[in-house]
Amino acid sequence: MEQFIEWISQPWPWYVAGPLIGLTVPILLLVGNKSFGISSSLRHVCAMCVPANIPFFTYNWRKEMWNIVFVVGVLLGGFFATTFISNPDAIVVAESTQRDLAALGITDYSKLLPAEIFSWENLLTGKGLLFFVFGGFLVGFGTRYADGCTSGHAIMGISSLQWPSVVATIFFMVGGFLMTHVLLEPLMKMVGF
């Protein structure tokens, strides 16, 4: 059992993790004719919890209970992994990335997310407003506007040869590059980094 815990707590190589992620698509399609995606589960939860007669939430969400169970499993698995089997080694960040982040005031790599940005102390500050509220709004808006999230489009949509998913994934990537190389530095300076 100790060897299993040691093995599972290490980063998995791409040739193991990639096929496992990739195989979810044909398994979901073959076993239950289901499509993979995370963002649709929010719609199912809202349909389950909001009793109003809002047309967008009026459908048989019980047919999609597997998706809610999947997301609960992702959350519980993430909690279990970070609490009990997290890798004790320091996060490996490339030196060039460390230099770029240090120029923005980010130097703490002891956790998965930089503490200078993602901490409870920052929640009610300009940083918190920018990264948590405004960033969360943009992610939610983009997900709804693109009719799905990165996992749904990039994993499920592209593998099932859906042209809208190819376009959405291209624009997800363009948005990420634009944010990283053009907008991040001015935004960080605007909120006091």
Side-chain angles (χ1 to χ4, degrees):
M1 184 66 165
E2 190 172 311
Q3 286 179 330
F4 175 74
I5 296 296
E6 175 66 27
W7 173 75
I8 203 166
S9 66
Q10 300 301 314
W12 291 7
W14 64 268
Y15 52 83
V16 173
L20 285 175
I21 292 170
L23 286 173
T24 59
V25 172
I27 289 170
L28 283 171
L29 286 173
L30 292 172
V31 171
N33 198 25
K34 307 288 184 189
S35 61
F36 176 76
I38 299 294
S39 62
S40 57
S41 62
L42 179 60
R43 179 181 183 211
H44 305 323
V45 169
C46 289
M48 183 171 39
C49 298
V50 179
N53 254 348
I54 301 170
F56 185 69
F57 297 129
T58 307
Y59 65 95
N60 186 6
W61 56 266
R62 287 174 183 84
K63 283 180 21 182
E64 305 300 331
M65 188 55 107
W66 73 271
N67 191 266
I68 294 170
V69 170
F70 177 79
V71 170
V72 169
V74 168
L75 293 172
L76 290 175
F79 172 77
F80 177 79
T82 57
T83 305
F84 300 110
I85 60 171
S86 62
N87 188 339
D89 299 335
I91 303 293
V92 178
V93 179
E95 288 183 27
S96 60
T97 303
Q98 287 183 22
R99 281 192 303 273
D100 292 343
L101 291 174
L104 297 174
I106 299 171
T107 56
D108 183 4
Y109 309 109
S110 61
K111 296 183 178 162
L112 190 58
L113 299 172
E116 289 95 350
I117 298 174
F118 300 101
S119 66
W120 290 108
E121 294 81 34
N122 286 339
L123 189 58
L124 299 175
T125 65
K127 292 179 220 173
L129 184 67
L130 177 69
F131 286 101
F132 299 125
V133 177
F134 185 66
F137 171 78
L138 287 178
V139 168
F141 175 80
T143 299
R144 183 66 196 118
Y145 189 72
D147 200 24
C149 60
T150 51
S151 61
H153 282 300
I155 297 171
M156 183 72 190
I158 290 177
S159 65
S160 58
L161 306 176
Q162 295 180 27
W163 176 247
S165 291
V166 172
V167 172
T169 303
I170 288 170
F171 279 97
F172 291 151
M173 296 301 295
V174 168
F177 291 135
L178 184 68
M179 180 64 192
T180 301
H181 297 290
V182 177
L183 300 174
L184 184 61
E185 187 174 354
L187 287 173
M188 295 286 275
K189 288 179 180 174
M190 186 176 78
V191 295
F193 264 93

Coordinates of all heavy atoms in Angstrom, one line a residue, residues 6-79:
E6 N 3.0 6.1 -2.7 CA 4.2 6.8 -3.2 C 4.1 7.0 -4.8 O 4.4 8.1 -5.3 CB 5.5 6.0 -2.9 CG 6.7 6.5 -3.5 CD 7.1 7.9 -3.0 OE1 6.8 8.2 -1.8 OE2 7.8 8.6 -3.7
W7 N 3.6 6.0 -5.5 CA 3.4 6.1 -6.9 C 2.4 7.1 -7.3 O 2.6 7.9 -8.2 CB 3.1 4.7 -7.5 CG 2.7 4.7 -8.9 CD1 3.6 4.8 -10.0 CD2 1.4 4.6 -9.5 NE1 3.0 4.8 -11.2 CE2 1.6 4.7 -10.9 CE3 0.2 4.5 -9.0 CZ2 0.5 4.7 -11.8 CZ3 -0.9 4.5 -9.9 CH2 -0.7 4.5 -11.2
I8 N 1.2 7.1 -6.6 CA 0.1 7.9 -7.0 C 0.4 9.4 -6.6 O -0.2 10.3 -7.2 CB -1.2 7.4 -6.4 CG1 -2.4 8.0 -7.3 CG2 -1.4 7.8 -5.0 CD1 -3.7 7.3 -7.0
S9 N 1.3 9.6 -5.7 CA 1.5 11.0 -5.2 C 2.5 11.7 -6.1 O 2.7 12.9 -6.0 CB 2.0 11.0 -3.8 OG 3.3 10.4 -3.7
Q10 N 3.1 11.0 -7.1 CA 4.1 11.6 -8.0 C 3.4 12.1 -9.3 O 2.3 11.5 -9.6 CB 5.2 10.6 -8.4 CG 6.0 10.1 -7.2 CD 6.7 11.2 -6.5 OE1 7.3 12.1 -7.1 NE2 6.6 11.2 -5.2
P11 N 3.9 13.1 -9.9 CA 3.3 13.5 -11.2 C 3.4 12.3 -12.2 O 4.4 11.6 -12.3 CB 4.2 14.6 -11.7 CG 4.9 15.1 -10.5 CD 5.0 13.9 -9.5
W12 N 2.3 12.1 -12.9 CA 2.2 11.0 -13.9 C 2.8 11.5 -15.2 O 2.6 12.6 -15.6 CB 0.8 10.6 -14.1 CG 0.2 9.8 -12.9 CD1 0.8 9.7 -11.7 CD2 -1.0 9.2 -12.8 NE1 0.0 9.0 -10.9 CE2 -1.1 8.6 -11.5 CE3 -2.0 9.0 -13.8 CZ2 -2.3 7.9 -11.1 CZ3 -3.1 8.3 -13.4 CH2 -3.2 7.7 -12.1
P13 N 3.5 10.7 -15.9 CA 4.1 11.1 -17.2 C 2.9 11.3 -18.2 O 1.9 10.7 -18.1 CB 5.0 9.9 -17.6 CG 4.5 8.7 -16.8 CD 3.9 9.3 -15.5
W14 N 3.2 12.1 -19.2 CA 2.2 12.4 -20.2 C 1.7 11.2 -20.9 O 0.5 11.1 -21.3 CB 2.8 13.3 -21.3 CG 3.9 12.7 -22.1 CD1 5.3 12.8 -21.8 CD2 3.8 11.9 -23.3 NE1 6.0 12.1 -22.7 CE2 5.1 11.5 -23.6 CE3 2.8 11.5 -24.0 CZ2 5.4 10.8 -24.8 CZ3 3.0 10.7 -25.1 CH2 4.3 10.4 -25.5
Y15 N 2.5 10.1 -21.1 CA 2.0 8.9 -21.9 C 1.1 8.1 -21.0 O 0.5 7.1 -21.5 CB 3.2 8.1 -22.4 CG 4.3 7.8 -21.3 CD1 4.1 6.7 -20.5 CD2 5.4 8.6 -21.2 CE1 5.1 6.4 -19.5 CE2 6.4 8.3 -20.3 CZ 6.2 7.2 -19.4 OH 7.1 6.9 -18.5
V16 N 0.9 8.4 -19.7 CA -0.1 7.7 -18.9 C -1.3 8.6 -18.8 O -2.4 8.2 -19.0 CB 0.5 7.3 -17.5 CG1 -0.6 6.8 -16.6 CG2 1.6 6.3 -17.7
A17 N -1.1 9.9 -18.3 CA -2.2 10.8 -18.0 C -2.9 11.2 -19.3 O -4.2 11.2 -19.3 CB -1.6 12.0 -17.4
G18 N -2.2 11.4 -20.4 CA -2.9 11.8 -21.7 C -3.8 10.8 -22.2 O -5.0 11.1 -22.4
P19 N -3.4 9.5 -22.3 CA -4.4 8.5 -22.8 C -5.6 8.3 -21.8 O -6.7 8.1 -22.3 CB -3.5 7.2 -22.9 CG -2.2 7.7 -23.2 CD -2.0 9.0 -22.4
L20 N -5.3 8.4 -20.5 CA -6.4 8.3 -19.6 C -7.5 9.4 -19.8 O -8.7 9.1 -19.8 CB -5.9 8.3 -18.1 CG -5.2 7.0 -17.6 CD1 -4.7 7.2 -16.2 CD2 -6.2 5.8 -17.7
I21 N -7.0 10.6 -20.0 CA -7.9 11.7 -20.2 C -8.6 11.5 -21.6 O -9.8 11.6 -21.7 CB -7.2 13.0 -20.2 CG1 -6.8 13.4 -18.8 CG2 -8.1 14.2 -20.7 CD1 -5.8 14.6 -18.7
G22 N -7.8 11.1 -22.6 CA -8.3 10.9 -23.9 C -9.3 9.8 -24.0 O -10.3 9.8 -24.8
L23 N -9.2 8.7 -23.2 CA -10.1 7.6 -23.3 C -11.4 7.9 -22.6 O -12.4 7.1 -22.8 CB -9.4 6.4 -22.6 CG -8.3 5.7 -23.4 CD1 -7.6 4.6 -22.6 CD2 -8.9 5.1 -24.7
T24 N -11.5 9.0 -21.9 CA -12.8 9.3 -21.3 C -13.9 9.6 -22.4 O -15.0 9.3 -22.2 CB -12.8 10.5 -20.3 OG1 -12.3 11.6 -21.1 CG2 -11.9 10.2 -19.1
V25 N -13.4 10.2 -23.5 CA -14.3 10.5 -24.6 C -15.0 9.3 -25.2 O -16.2 9.2 -25.2 CB -13.6 11.4 -25.6 CG1 -14.5 11.6 -26.8 CG2 -13.2 12.7 -25.0
P26 N -14.2 8.3 -25.7 CA -14.9 7.2 -26.3 C -15.7 6.3 -25.3 O -16.7 5.8 -25.6 CB -13.8 6.4 -26.9 CG -12.5 6.8 -26.3 CD -12.8 8.2 -25.9
I27 N -15.2 6.3 -24.0 CA -15.9 5.5 -23.0 C -17.2 6.1 -22.7 O -18.3 5.4 -22.7 CB -15.0 5.4 -21.7 CG1 -13.9 4.4 -22.0 CG2 -15.9 4.9 -20.6 CD1 -12.8 4.4 -20.9
L28 N -17.3 7.4 -22.6 CA -18.5 8.1 -22.3 C -19.5 8.0 -23.5 O -20.7 7.7 -23.3 CB -18.3 9.6 -22.0 CG -17.9 9.9 -20.6 CD1 -17.5 11.4 -20.5 CD2 -18.9 9.6 -19.6
L29 N -19.0 8.1 -24.7 CA -19.8 7.9 -25.9 C -20.3 6.5 -26.1 O -21.5 6.3 -26.4 CB -19.1 8.4 -27.1 CG -18.9 9.9 -27.3 CD1 -17.9 10.2 -28.5 CD2 -20.2 10.6 -27.5
L30 N -19.4 5.5 -25.9 CA -19.8 4.1 -26.1 C -20.7 3.6 -25.0 O -21.7 2.9 -25.3 CB -18.6 3.3 -26.3 CG -17.7 3.5 -27.5 CD1 -16.4 2.7 -27.4 CD2 -18.5 3.1 -28.8
V31 N -20.4 3.9 -23.8 CA -21.1 3.3 -22.7 C -22.5 4.0 -22.5 O -23.5 3.3 -22.3 CB -20.3 3.4 -21.4 CG1 -21.1 3.0 -20.1 CG2 -19.1 2.5 -21.5
G32 N -22.5 5.3 -22.6 CA -23.8 6.0 -22.3 C -24.2 7.1 -23.2 O -25.2 7.8 -22.9
N33 N -23.6 7.2 -24.4 CA -23.9 8.3 -25.3 C -23.9 9.7 -24.6 O -24.8 10.5 -24.8 CB -25.2 8.0 -26.0 CG -25.3 8.9 -27.3 OD1 -24.3 9.3 -27.8 ND2 -26.6 9.1 -27.7
K34 N -22.9 9.9 -23.7 CA -22.8 11.1 -23.0 C -21.6 11.9 -23.5 O -20.6 11.4 -24.0 CB -22.5 10.8 -21.5 CG -23.5 9.9 -20.8 CD -24.8 10.5 -20.6 CE -25.8 9.6 -19.9 NZ -27.1 10.1 -19.8
S35 N -21.7 13.2 -23.3 CA -20.6 14.1 -23.7 C -19.9 14.7 -22.5 O -20.6 15.0 -21.5 CB -21.0 15.2 -24.7 OG -22.0 16.0 -24.0
F36 N -18.6 14.8 -22.6 CA -17.8 15.2 -21.4 C -17.7 16.7 -21.4 O -17.5 17.4 -22.4 CB -16.4 14.6 -21.6 CG -15.4 15.1 -20.5 CD1 -15.5 14.5 -19.2 CD2 -14.5 16.0 -20.8 CE1 -14.6 14.9 -18.2 CE2 -13.6 16.4 -19.8 CZ -13.7 15.9 -18.5
G37 N -17.8 17.3 -20.2 CA -17.7 18.7 -19.9 C -18.0 19.0 -18.5 O -18.8 18.3 -17.9
I38 N -17.4 20.0 -18.0 CA -17.6 20.4 -16.6 C -18.6 21.5 -16.4 O -19.4 21.5 -15.5 CB -16.2 20.8 -15.9 CG1 -15.2 19.6 -16.0 CG2 -16.4 21.3 -14.5 CD1 -15.6 18.4 -15.2
S39 N -18.6 22.5 -17.3 CA -19.4 23.7 -17.1 C -20.9 23.4 -17.1 O -21.7 24.1 -16.5 CB -19.0 24.8 -18.1 OG -19.3 24.3 -19.4
S40 N -21.3 22.4 -17.9 CA -22.7 22.0 -17.9 C -23.3 21.6 -16.6 O -24.5 21.7 -16.3 CB -23.0 21.0 -19.0 OG -22.2 19.8 -18.7
S41 N -22.4 21.1 -15.7 CA -22.9 20.7 -14.4 C -23.4 21.9 -13.6 O -24.3 21.7 -12.8 CB -21.7 20.0 -13.6 OG -20.7 20.9 -13.4
L42 N -22.9 23.1 -13.8 CA -23.4 24.3 -13.1 C -24.9 24.5 -13.5 O -25.7 24.8 -12.6 CB -22.6 25.5 -13.4 CG -23.1 26.8 -12.7 CD1 -23.1 26.7 -11.2 CD2 -22.2 28.0 -13.1
R43 N -25.2 24.3 -14.8 CA -26.6 24.4 -15.2 C -27.4 23.4 -14.6 O -28.6 23.7 -14.1 CB -26.6 24.3 -16.7 CG -28.0 24.4 -17.3 CD -28.1 24.2 -18.8 NE -29.4 24.4 -19.3 CZ -29.9 23.8 -20.3 NH1 -29.2 23.0 -21.0 NH2 -31.2 24.0 -20.7
H44 N -26.9 22.2 -14.4 CA -27.7 21.1 -13.8 C -28.0 21.4 -12.3 O -29.1 21.2 -11.8 CB -27.0 19.7 -13.9 CG -26.7 19.4 -15.3 ND1 -27.5 19.6 -16.4 CD2 -25.6 18.8 -15.9 CE1 -26.9 19.2 -17.5 NE2 -25.7 18.7 -17.2
V45 N -27.0 21.9 -11.6 CA -27.1 22.3 -10.2 C -28.1 23.4 -10.1 O -29.0 23.3 -9.2 CB -25.8 22.6 -9.6 CG1 -26.0 23.3 -8.2 CG2 -24.9 21.4 -9.5
C46 N -28.1 24.4 -10.9 CA -29.0 25.5 -10.9 C -30.5 25.0 -11.2 O -31.4 25.3 -10.5 CB -28.7 26.6 -11.9 SG -27.2 27.5 -11.4
A47 N -30.6 24.1 -12.1 CA -31.9 23.5 -12.5 C -32.4 22.7 -11.3 O -33.6 22.7 -11.0 CB -31.8 22.6 -13.7
M48 N -31.5 22.0 -10.6 CA -31.9 21.2 -9.4 C -32.3 22.1 -8.2 O -33.3 21.8 -7.5 CB -30.7 20.3 -9.0 CG -31.0 19.4 -7.9 SD -29.6 18.2 -7.7 CE -28.2 19.1 -7.9
C49 N -31.6 23.2 -8.0 CA -31.8 24.0 -6.8 C -32.7 25.2 -7.0 O -33.2 25.8 -6.0 CB -30.4 24.5 -6.3 SG -29.3 23.1 -5.8
V50 N -32.9 25.7 -8.2 CA -33.7 26.9 -8.4 C -35.1 26.5 -8.9 O -35.2 26.1 -10.1 CB -33.0 27.9 -9.4 CG1 -33.9 29.1 -9.7 CG2 -31.6 28.3 -9.0
P51 N -36.1 26.6 -8.1 CA -37.4 26.1 -8.5 C -38.2 27.1 -9.4 O -39.3 26.8 -9.8 CB -38.1 26.0 -7.1 CG -37.5 27.0 -6.3 CD -36.1 27.1 -6.7
A52 N -37.6 28.2 -9.8 CA -38.3 29.2 -10.6 C -38.5 28.6 -12.0 O -37.9 27.6 -12.4 CB -37.5 30.5 -10.8
N53 N -39.4 29.2 -12.7 CA -39.8 28.7 -14.1 C -38.9 29.4 -15.1 O -39.4 29.9 -16.1 CB -41.2 28.9 -14.4 CG -42.0 27.6 -14.3 OD1 -41.4 26.5 -14.3 ND2 -43.3 27.7 -14.3
I54 N -37.6 29.4 -15.0 CA -36.7 30.0 -15.9 C -36.5 29.0 -17.1 O -36.1 27.9 -16.8 CB -35.4 30.4 -15.3 CG1 -35.6 31.4 -14.1 CG2 -34.4 31.0 -16.3 CD1 -34.4 31.6 -13.3
P55 N -36.8 29.4 -18.3 CA -36.8 28.4 -19.4 C -35.4 27.7 -19.5 O -35.4 26.5 -19.8 CB -37.1 29.2 -20.6 CG -37.8 30.4 -20.1 CD -37.3 30.7 -18.7
F56 N -34.3 28.4 -19.3 CA -33.0 27.8 -19.5 C -32.8 26.6 -18.5 O -32.0 25.7 -18.8 CB -31.9 28.9 -19.3 CG -30.5 28.3 -19.6 CD1 -30.1 28.0 -20.8 CD2 -29.6 28.2 -18.5 CE1 -28.9 27.5 -21.1 CE2 -28.3 27.8 -18.8 CZ -27.9 27.4 -20.1
F57 N -33.4 26.7 -17.3 CA -33.3 25.7 -16.3 C -34.4 24.7 -16.2 O -34.5 23.9 -15.3 CB -33.1 26.4 -14.9 CG -31.8 27.2 -14.8 CD1 -31.9 28.5 -14.4 CD2 -30.6 26.7 -15.2 CE1 -30.8 29.3 -14.3 CE2 -29.5 27.5 -15.1 CZ -29.6 28.8 -14.7
T58 N -35.4 24.8 -17.1 CA -36.5 23.9 -17.1 C -36.3 22.8 -18.1 O -36.5 22.9 -19.3 CB -37.8 24.7 -17.5 OG1 -37.9 25.8 -16.7 CG2 -39.0 23.8 -17.4
Y59 N -35.8 21.7 -17.6 CA -35.5 20.5 -18.4 C -35.3 19.3 -17.4 O -35.2 19.6 -16.2 CB -34.3 20.6 -19.3 CG -33.0 20.8 -18.5 CD1 -32.2 19.7 -18.3 CD2 -32.6 22.0 -18.1 CE1 -31.0 19.9 -17.6 CE2 -31.4 22.2 -17.4 CZ -30.6 21.1 -17.1 OH -29.5 21.3 -16.4
N60 N -35.2 18.1 -17.8 CA -35.1 17.0 -16.9 C -33.6 16.8 -16.6 O -32.8 16.1 -17.2 CB -35.6 15.7 -17.6 CG -35.6 14.5 -16.7 OD1 -35.3 14.7 -15.5 ND2 -35.9 13.4 -17.2
W61 N -33.2 17.5 -15.5 CA -31.8 17.5 -15.1 C -31.4 16.1 -14.5 O -30.3 15.8 -14.4 CB -31.5 18.6 -14.0 CG -32.4 18.6 -12.9 CD1 -33.6 19.3 -12.7 CD2 -32.3 17.8 -11.7 NE1 -34.2 19.0 -11.5 CE2 -33.4 18.1 -10.8 CE3 -31.3 16.9 -11.2 CZ2 -33.6 17.6 -9.6 CZ3 -31.5 16.4 -10.0 CH2 -32.6 16.7 -9.2
R62 N -32.4 15.3 -14.1 CA -32.1 14.0 -13.5 C -31.4 13.1 -14.5 O -30.7 12.2 -14.1 CB -33.4 13.4 -13.0 CG -33.9 14.0 -11.7 CD -35.3 13.5 -11.3 NE -35.8 14.1 -10.1 CZ -36.5 15.3 -10.2 NH1 -36.7 15.9 -11.3 NH2 -36.9 15.8 -9.0
K63 N -31.7 13.3 -15.8 CA -31.0 12.5 -16.8 C -29.5 12.8 -16.8 O -28.7 12.0 -17.3 CB -31.5 12.9 -18.2 CG -32.8 12.2 -18.5 CD -33.4 12.5 -19.9 CE -32.4 13.0 -20.9 NZ -32.9 13.3 -22.2
E64 N -29.1 14.0 -16.3 CA -27.7 14.4 -16.3 C -27.0 14.2 -14.9 O -26.0 14.8 -14.6 CB -27.5 15.8 -16.7 CG -28.2 16.1 -18.1 CD -27.5 15.3 -19.2 OE1 -26.3 14.9 -19.1 OE2 -28.2 15.0 -20.2
M65 N -27.6 13.4 -14.0 CA -27.1 13.2 -12.7 C -25.7 12.6 -12.7 O -24.9 12.9 -11.8 CB -28.0 12.3 -11.9 CG -27.7 12.2 -10.4 SD -27.6 13.9 -9.6 CE -29.0 13.8 -8.7
W66 N -25.3 11.9 -13.7 CA -24.0 11.3 -13.8 C -23.0 12.4 -13.8 O -21.9 12.3 -13.3 CB -23.9 10.4 -15.0 CG -23.8 11.2 -16.3 CD1 -24.9 11.7 -17.1 CD2 -22.7 11.8 -16.9 NE1 -24.5 12.4 -18.1 CE2 -23.1 12.5 -18.1 CE3 -21.3 11.7 -16.7 CZ2 -22.2 13.2 -18.9 CZ3 -20.4 12.4 -17.5 CH2 -20.9 13.1 -18.6
N67 N -23.3 13.6 -14.5 CA -22.4 14.7 -14.6 C -22.2 15.4 -13.3 O -21.0 15.7 -12.9 CB -23.0 15.7 -15.6 CG -22.0 16.7 -16.0 OD1 -22.0 17.8 -15.4 ND2 -21.2 16.5 -17.0
I68 N -23.2 15.5 -12.5 CA -23.1 16.0 -11.1 C -22.2 15.1 -10.3 O -21.4 15.6 -9.5 CB -24.5 16.3 -10.5 CG1 -25.2 17.4 -11.4 CG2 -24.4 16.7 -9.1 CD1 -26.6 17.6 -11.0
V69 N -22.5 13.8 -10.4 CA -21.7 12.9 -9.6 C -20.2 12.9 -10.0 O -19.3 12.9 -9.2 CB -22.2 11.4 -9.8 CG1 -21.3 10.4 -9.2 CG2 -23.6 11.3 -9.1
F70 N -20.0 13.1 -11.3 CA -18.6 13.2 -11.8 C -17.9 14.5 -11.2 O -16.8 14.4 -10.8 CB -18.6 13.3 -13.4 CG -17.3 13.5 -14.0 CD1 -16.4 12.5 -14.1 CD2 -16.9 14.8 -14.4 CE1 -15.2 12.7 -14.7 CE2 -15.7 15.0 -15.0 CZ -14.8 13.9 -15.1
V71 N -18.6 15.6 -11.2 CA -18.0 16.8 -10.7 C -17.8 16.7 -9.2 O -16.7 17.2 -8.7 CB -18.9 18.1 -11.1 CG1 -18.4 19.3 -10.3 CG2 -18.8 18.3 -12.5
V72 N -18.7 16.1 -8.5 CA -18.5 15.9 -7.0 C -17.3 15.0 -6.8 O -16.4 15.2 -5.9 CB -19.8 15.3 -6.4 CG1 -19.5 14.8 -5.0 CG2 -20.9 16.3 -6.4
G73 N -17.1 14.0 -7.7 CA -15.9 13.1 -7.6 C -14.6 13.9 -7.9 O -13.6 13.7 -7.2
V74 N -14.7 14.8 -8.8 CA -13.5 15.7 -9.1 C -13.2 16.5 -7.9 O -12.0 16.6 -7.5 CB -13.7 16.5 -10.4 CG1 -12.7 17.6 -10.5 CG2 -13.8 15.7 -11.6
L75 N -14.2 17.1 -7.3 CA -13.9 17.9 -6.1 C -13.4 17.1 -4.9 O -12.4 17.5 -4.3 CB -15.2 18.7 -5.7 CG -15.7 19.7 -6.7 CD1 -17.1 20.2 -6.2 CD2 -14.7 20.9 -6.8
L76 N -14.0 16.0 -4.7 CA -13.6 15.1 -3.6 C -12.2 14.5 -3.9 O -11.3 14.5 -3.0 CB -14.5 14.0 -3.3 CG -15.9 14.4 -2.7 CD1 -16.8 13.2 -2.7 CD2 -15.7 15.0 -1.4
G77 N -11.9 14.2 -5.1 CA -10.6 13.7 -5.5 C -9.5 14.7 -5.3 O -8.4 14.5 -4.8
G78 N -9.8 16.0 -5.7 CA -8.9 17.1 -5.5 C -8.6 17.3 -4.1 O -7.5 17.5 -3.7
F79 N -9.7 17.3 -3.3 CA -9.5 17.5 -1.8 C -8.6 16.4 -1.2 O -7.7 16.6 -0.5 CB -10.8 17.6 -1.1 CG -10.7 17.6 0.4 CD1 -10.3 18.7 1.1 CD2 -10.9 16.4 1.1 CE1 -10.2 18.7 2.4 CE2 -10.8 16.4 2.5 CZ -10.4 17.6 3.2

